[in-house]
Amino acid sequence: MRKNSTRSGFTLVELLIGVVMMSIVIAGIAFTVSSGFDLYTTADSNAVVVSGVRFTADSFNRNVAPMLNVTDKIEILSTDLSSIPDHASISDDIHYIFLSNDSVVHRDSKGNHVLEGSGYIDHIEFTIPVPTSNDQNNYILKMDIKGQNPDQPNAKLDLVVESSLYNKPTKTGTATGPTDSKVYKGNILKIKASLKLDRLDLYDYDTKIKINKLSVHKGTNIEAIYDLINQLGTSEPMSDDSTIEWFISGSASADITVISEDITLSDIDGIMKNNYWQLFSGANSVKGRVLDTTGTFNVKTETGVTAWPLNDATKIGAIRCRVTPKVKSPSGGLTMTGAPKWSDYVVVRKVDAPSETFETIRDVIGTRNSSSAEDLYFTNVGEGDGDEQRNQYSKSGDVILLGVTKTNQNIDSNIHGASFVMKLRYDRFDNDRIYAAWAAGRTDPEDMPSYITVTNYSTILDSKTIDNKTSYALFLSTRSKNGSFGTSDNVFKDIGYAVRYSPTKPIGFSVSKFAAGSEIIKNGKILPLGVYELKTNDRESDAYNPNYAKIDTSSFVTWQTQYRVMFTVLEYYDKTLGKEYPCYIFRVRFLKKLEDVTYLTIKRKTDPWCIGPEFYASEPMWFGHFVGNPNTVLTTNNTKVDVKNFNNNTTVTVTSRKFKLADKIFYALKWDNLNWSVFRNRVMNARALEKIPTTPDNTLYTDMIDTDISNNSGEDDLAVTSSDRYIGIMARKSNATNKNQAFEISNLDFAPGFSINEIRSIMPLDGKLYSIEESIPPSELSKIVAKDWYKSYKNIIASSNNDINKKVFGVSGNSDGTGNNGSLYYYLNPIVSTDHQDGGIYDLQHQTEALEGIYTCPLHNELFKWFGGQ
């Protein structure tokens, strides 16, 4: 039998075929792997280049561009990197941008900072047009970035970053290119930029008034206001973390040098005026945006924290702050600091209000018959030349007691003038604060500050008569007929007008005239000369009873009640008569008692004299040739006069009286439904004869003999415009009781007078203002020429040919007598129709709503607008 074999194999041919086929497959795989690897390498190289260029551009925009937006100088350099100073030699405000080791580097005083993500940068170039004309294209900075991977030359990217330089900085560098299109070009960008304070001012925190170089009362919160300019590029938002430190010195003009802490207390007095001492609270220095000046200031010596040695003096010290600018990142990981900056000074004074810069009577008065040769004079008041003393003085605490040693039983023999007088001195008027408030808040270039001058000011008399037999007279801008007054003797012979306050005829507030210290009297009676009262028409009742003015919050109850009364005086002249004939307008108003307005503490900072609408206690009483109410209507036998006060716009009728209205100006007061009074203005020209109506309709007048102020030679002290003026007070009693204490004076303060727009409203036809130079002696002028407020006054009138009247009234240089003259109050609140104007004093009325306790006042008073920071 035959067997079959079970073993078989590849032939040689088959093996060779297999090998060949395997080689083909492996080669394909190898090629595929190789190709994929090359593609990955190229893509990765491109990616890192693209990322490097784009991250560089982004980092530049975030870190460098912010500096470009605010810098004031850039420079493009084309030079070797070795020319760039080391960081230790670079000032804080200088920055360089350049390429180093494939990255863009920012070098400043702190070292080198590689821009985030920067890498694989092969080349950078900065260019900016050379021209400086105001064309935005001339202020576009270009940075050309070229990126390349050195291992993969084909992996590259070019990108141009453009930055608009909005603040148009100074450009420097090496110019290249055609003449008509030159550019600065180079590989290095140099920027001048820093963290700094653009301004640093001190403000009253409550009123928001700038108080640099001003005096403020102790208790004022002083706020540091500054603009932080961050020119430094950062990668994240930064917040203000500046350090504000407070310092005190004994001198406002001291060099800004901080005293060391090892000074002994005994050395303080000798060096406190030449250095600044840092304020401390306990062991810590006082820091923060607001400094509370209440309480004791403390400084540090070698013995520890001690009270500032001037705490109990009138001048506490000059305050400054030092601000070190600093910004920090929210995470706290990055902080940048700039150079410290000092503020200007503010003098903190230990006073109740800024108005006390001008001394009050309480500041300078002493005991009986003591006086200051410069400020206050006790005058010898008696018959004739003062041979019989009539007044005595004493002081009880802060109250001045004025007594009358001999009463005037026979008024014909009552020859006397001011009992004591105070000279009005410009160098004591606190106009710097008024000017600064005006400059900080004004918006209308035609507005002017309410400067306190000797021809336009207010006094606030806080006083009380002991009984209803006592009267007083307040002399406003009076002068003396005695040329030796204040030098060889104190006999003051008043020349001018006084506002009287009396419980006997004339009852209330009236104006009388004094000539050479003697009150002008006719038929044994005092002449009220400020207005005509038309209701009574007896010439003895030409006075405002306090009830006429409707005392709304401090109701007039008795004559013996203490009151604050504001007297405002305007001395002017008529363009035809000339400067040698001074005329006057007086305004009198009751004010609230200070103890009744303690709730107005904040308001007192915007009204340091407490004389604004919130402090009114009555309507005003007007004396003189004011612009009053032209809206007067004649009927058959009566005259109707409009009234606008107490929120009661109505009319009153003067029965059985018909007036020639063409040249008449009226002022009506209506204090309830039944009671009213009408006054007509009256020229108060001190040198002229007074006149009195001779007919019931007031159309004919006769001269009152011996009522002018002049002497036989035709000369007159009032004709000298640049002469000293005084405030005076006189007391009088009509019986012998309580004669040693007739009149109590708590204070006599000084405040701004009429605002410019008020003057435009009230000034009669052809009225003109005295300039400062025309109204004070040269010796007084020399004391104020360097003051900021006087410089501002001169600067304001410079645009009107240095003529105050053209600045106030326009090109005519005098009032048009309508109450217009550009006044803010003209056309204000007409009471009859919308097609007429009230004008004058009627647009200055204070109105009250007694039932609601709401006070509305159309008075757009510029003084308080400025103090309020509006």
Side-chain angles (χ1 to χ4, degrees):
M1 183 168 108
R2 185 181 179 183
K3 288 185 173 181
N4 293 329
S5 176
T6 60
R7 297 181 179 178
S8 64
F10 289 107
T11 64
L12 180 60
V13 173
E14 289 176 327
L15 289 174
L16 290 174
I17 292 172
V19 169
V20 170
M21 292 179 67
M22 185 64 69
S23 298
I24 292 173
V25 172
I26 293 174
I29 293 172
F31 176 78
T32 300
V33 171
S34 176
S35 297
F37 182 77
D38 289 342
L39 182 61
Y40 169 79
T41 301
T42 301
D44 181 62
S45 298
N46 282 320
V48 295
V49 170
V50 170
S51 296
V53 171
R54 290 181 174 174
F55 273 115
T56 298
D58 179 67
S59 185
F60 181 86
N61 286 329
R62 288 185 291 108
N63 295 283
V64 179
M67 290 189 286
L68 294 173
N69 291 334
V70 291
T71 184
D72 55 7
K73 183 178 181 180
I74 67 169
E75 184 176 4
I76 296 178
L77 306 174
S78 181
T79 182
D80 188 81
L81 297 185
S82 61
S83 63
I84 303 176
D86 182 76
H87 73 274
S89 304
I90 299 176
S91 62
D92 291 339
D93 59 347
I94 297 300
H95 306 262
Y96 291 90
I97 312 298
F98 56 89
L99 179 64
S100 176
N101 296 326
D102 298 332
S103 296
V104 178
V105 176
H106 167 205
R107 178 179 295 178
D108 59 15
S109 60
K110 298 178 179 61
N112 287 346
H113 316 282
V114 176
L115 297 191
E116 297 174 9
S118 180
Y120 294 98
I121 307 302
D122 181 65
H123 174 79
I124 62 171
E125 185 176 70
F126 300 96
T127 58
I128 192 170
V130 171
T132 58
S133 59
N134 193 19
D135 184 337
Q136 61 181 5
N137 293 321
N138 291 332
Y139 289 91
I140 295 179
L141 174 70
K142 295 181 179 180
M143 181 177 70
D144 186 6
I145 308 174
K146 297 183 183 298
Q148 187 176 44
N149 189 330
D151 296 325
Q152 295 289 332
N154 292 325
K156 57 185 179 180
L157 178 66
D158 293 347
L159 183 64
V160 176
V161 178
E162 295 185 350
S163 300
S164 296
L165 310 185
Y166 300 106
N167 59 326
K168 298 180 174 57
T170 300
K171 302 175 291 186
T172 60
T174 303
T176 62
T179 303
D180 58 348
S181 58
K182 284 185 176 295
V183 296
Y184 295 120
K185 181 185 296 186
N187 60 318
I188 301 171
L189 176 63
K190 181 180 178 182
I191 306 171
K192 183 178 181 181
S194 63
L195 177 68
K196 64 179 182 179
L197 298 178
D198 185 51
R199 70 165 180 132
L200 173 57
D201 295 306
L202 298 180
Y203 279 74
D204 184 322
Y205 175 76
D206 296 306
T207 66
K208 306 306 178 187
I209 295 172
K210 186 189 298 185
I211 53 177
N212 293 346
K213 296 183 179 178
L214 297 182
S215 295
V216 298
H217 58 283
K218 202 167 190 310
T220 299
N221 291 327
I222 303 175
E223 182 179 14
I225 300 293
Y226 56 86
D227 292 330
L228 182 62
I229 305 300
N230 183 8
Q231 297 177 330
L232 307 176
T234 59
S235 59
E236 56 183 325
M238 305 291 280
S239 60
D240 183 9
D241 192 40
S242 301
T243 301
I244 306 173
E245 304 167 289
W246 295 92
F247 298 80
I248 191 170
S249 176
S251 172
S253 60
D255 294 334
I256 303 176
T257 302
V258 180
I259 202 70
S260 61
E261 294 179 4
D262 59 355
I263 297 297
T264 62
L265 187 61
S266 61
D267 294 329
I268 291 181
D269 188 61
I271 62 176
M272 64 184 178
K273 293 185 178 181
N274 300 313
N275 300 274
Y276 273 89
W277 299 67
Q278 189 161 16
L279 293 177
F280 276 79
S281 177
N284 301 317
S285 60
V286 176
K287 297 179 181 179
R289 186 180 292 271
V290 178
L291 174 67
D292 182 357
T293 63
T294 304
T296 302
F297 291 126
N298 294 305
V299 296
K300 200 171 190 180
T301 69
E302 67 172 5
T303 59
V305 174
T306 186
W308 174 246
L310 289 184
N311 274 325
D312 296 326
T314 300
K315 179 185 286 187
I316 300 297
I319 299 292
R320 292 183 192 259
C321 73
R322 181 176 65 188
V323 179
T324 303
K326 184 189 299 182
V327 292
K328 68 176 182 179
S329 62
S331 62
L334 179 62
T335 300
M336 298 182 181
T337 304
K341 184 180 181 69
W342 285 86
S343 73
D344 217 323
Y345 68 86
V346 168
V347 175
V348 177
R349 301 177 66 251
K350 192 173 184 178
V351 295
D352 294 330
S355 57
E356 290 192 13
T357 297
F358 191 99
E359 285 87 346
T360 64
I361 286 181
R362 291 180 303 173
D363 295 319
V364 294
I365 198 169
T367 57
R368 182 179 184 272
N369 286 336
S370 65
S371 66
S372 166
E374 256 190 321
D375 299 307
L376 184 142
Y377 302 86
F378 294 92
T379 65
N380 298 321
V381 179
E383 298 183 9
D385 291 331
D387 56 346
E388 182 179 356
Q389 187 73 29
R390 284 183 176 273
N391 296 96
Q392 67 178 23
Y393 313 89
S394 62
K395 188 177 181 183
S396 176
D398 287 335
V399 176
I400 302 165
L401 302 178
L402 181 61
V404 180
T405 59
K406 181 178 180 180
T407 58
N408 52 305
Q409 300 294 341
N410 183 354
I411 199 168
D412 284 323
S413 64
N414 181 26
I415 302 174
H416 57 179
S419 299
F420 62 78
V421 294
M422 295 180 70
K423 183 189 295 185
L424 294 174
R425 294 180 52 189
Y426 262 113
D427 60 324
R428 301 289 179 86
F429 285 3
D430 184 23
N431 277 330
D432 284 330
R433 182 172 173 87
I434 299 173
Y435 166 64
W438 166 78
R442 72 186 181 102
T443 57
D444 186 346
E446 294 302 315
D447 282 353
M448 291 177 63
S450 297
Y451 294 115
I452 306 176
T453 73
V454 296
T455 55
N456 179 27
Y457 62 91
S458 295
T459 65
I460 301 98
L461 179 61
D462 190 349
S463 64
K464 174 184 177 181
T465 53
I466 301 301
D467 55 38
N468 60 5
K469 302 298 183 181
T470 303
S471 62
Y472 71 80
L474 178 65
F475 297 84
L476 300 171
S477 287
T478 188
R479 306 185 215 181
S480 179
K481 189 65 178 175
N482 179 12
S484 61
F485 170 72
T487 55
S488 61
D489 65 64
N490 278 353
V491 178
F492 189 81
K493 298 182 178 181
D494 292 277
I495 302 173
Y497 292 101
V499 178
R500 303 181 75 258
Y501 180 64
S502 174
T504 58
K505 274 197 173 183
I507 297 174
F509 286 93
S510 62
V511 169
S512 61
K513 185 190 290 188
F514 284 73
S518 176
E519 190 168 24
I520 295 176
I521 297 171
K522 286 295 181 181
N523 301 322
K525 298 178 180 179
I526 296 171
L527 296 176
L529 302 173
V531 289
Y532 294 112
E533 202 283 316
L534 303 179
K535 186 176 183 180
T536 305
N537 195 34
D538 60 6
R539 299 286 79 81
E540 296 180 21
S541 303
D542 292 341
Y544 293 87
N545 188 289
N547 284 322
Y548 296 176
K550 183 84 172 185
I551 305 177
D552 54 11
T553 57
S554 301
S555 298
F556 184 81
V557 179
T558 66
W559 292 93
Q560 294 94 280
T561 303
Q562 181 174 345
Y563 295 107
R564 292 177 68 231
V565 183
M566 179 171 67
F567 302 80
T568 305
V569 58
L570 177 66
E571 182 181 338
Y572 68 97
Y573 65 95
D574 180 273
K575 75 173 184 179
T576 302
L577 292 176
K579 302 172 184 177
E580 294 78 16
Y581 291 83
C583 301
Y584 303 85
I585 295 175
F586 295 152
R587 179 183 63 191
V588 181
R589 170 181 270 132
F590 282 84
L591 300 174
K592 295 176 183 177
K593 299 176 183 178
L594 295 183
E595 58 266 29
D596 294 337
V597 289
T598 54
Y599 64 93
L600 291 172
T601 302
I602 297 300
K603 190 63 184 178
R604 292 185 65 175
K605 291 191 175 184
T606 62
D607 177 4
W609 297 275
C610 304
I611 60 174
E614 289 81 0
F615 297 93
Y616 293 165
S618 78
E619 291 291 325
M621 295 166 274
W622 294 89
F623 300 92
H625 193 51
F626 49 78
V627 176
N629 189 354
N631 303 310
T632 306
V633 180
L634 277 178
T635 59
T636 303
N637 293 309
N638 304 326
T639 302
K640 290 185 177 181
V641 183
D642 286 336
V643 179
K644 183 174 65 175
N645 62 321
F646 319 133
N647 264 356
N648 184 12
N649 296 335
T650 182
T651 61
V652 298
T653 302
V654 185
T655 59
S656 302
R657 304 287 297 280
K658 183 177 179 180
F659 300 102
K660 181 182 177 182
L661 297 179
D663 58 348
K664 304 299 186 293
I665 295 295
F666 300 92
Y667 177 48
L669 289 168
K670 192 173 190 298
W671 59 95
D672 58 38
N673 291 332
L674 299 176
N675 297 297
W676 55 268
S677 190
V678 175
F679 297 88
R680 189 176 73 75
N681 63 359
R682 185 173 195 162
V683 178
M684 292 199 301
N685 179 352
R687 295 187 63 188
L689 288 169
E690 300 294 336
K691 297 180 181 296
I692 188 169
T694 57
T695 58
D697 62 359
N698 288 269
T699 57
L700 296 177
Y701 298 86
T702 184
D703 291 335
M704 301 172 67
I705 306 303
D706 297 327
T707 58
D708 58 332
I709 298 178
S710 61
N711 58 27
N712 294 331
S713 64
E715 297 177 355
D716 193 283
D717 294 274
L718 291 176
V720 181
T721 62
S722 58
S723 58
D724 290 328
R725 290 164 174 80
Y726 297 83
I727 296 289
I729 295 181
M730 175 194 73
R732 176 188 292 148
K733 287 185 69 67
S734 60
N735 65 7
T737 60
N738 296 323
K739 63 181 182 180
N740 293 331
Q741 294 185 3
F743 187 45
E744 292 183 1
I745 305 171
S746 296
N747 202 9
L748 180 65
D749 211 347
F750 297 84
F754 293 108
S755 72
I756 293 302
N757 285 292
E758 288 175 319
I759 291 173
R760 289 166 175 158
S761 295
I762 67 176
M763 185 75 85
L765 179 64
D766 293 335
K768 295 174 72 72
L769 296 173
Y770 290 100
S771 69
I772 289 179
E773 294 80 4
E774 291 170 340
S775 58
I776 62 175
S779 59
E780 293 290 303
L781 183 62
S782 64
K783 299 174 183 177
I784 63 172
V785 291
K787 288 183 174 290
D788 287 340
W789 70 263
Y790 179 72
K791 292 177 182 177
S792 77
Y793 164 82
K794 297 295 289 184
N795 182 60
I796 288 169
I797 66 174
S799 59
S800 299
N801 297 324
N802 293 310
D803 187 335
I804 180 63
N805 286 291
K806 288 184 178 179
K807 185 65 180 180
V808 174
F809 300 116
V811 293
S812 66
N814 58 263
S815 173
D816 64 12
T818 66
N820 187 354
N821 301 295
S823 170
L824 294 177
Y825 314 130
Y826 202 58
Y827 295 94
L828 187 64
N829 297 328
I831 63 174
V832 176
S833 65
T834 58
D835 59 356
H836 83 288
Q837 305 84 42
D838 288 337
I841 59 176
Y842 269 78
D843 271 339
L844 305 179
Q845 286 297 93
H846 177 55
Q847 300 182 49
T848 66
E849 181 63 58
L851 294 178
E852 299 293 334
I854 299 172
Y855 300 89
T856 59
C857 187
L859 181 62
H860 179 80
N861 192 304
E862 297 93 328
L863 175 66
F864 306 108
K865 175 184 68 175
W866 299 322
F867 275 160
Q870 298 177 12

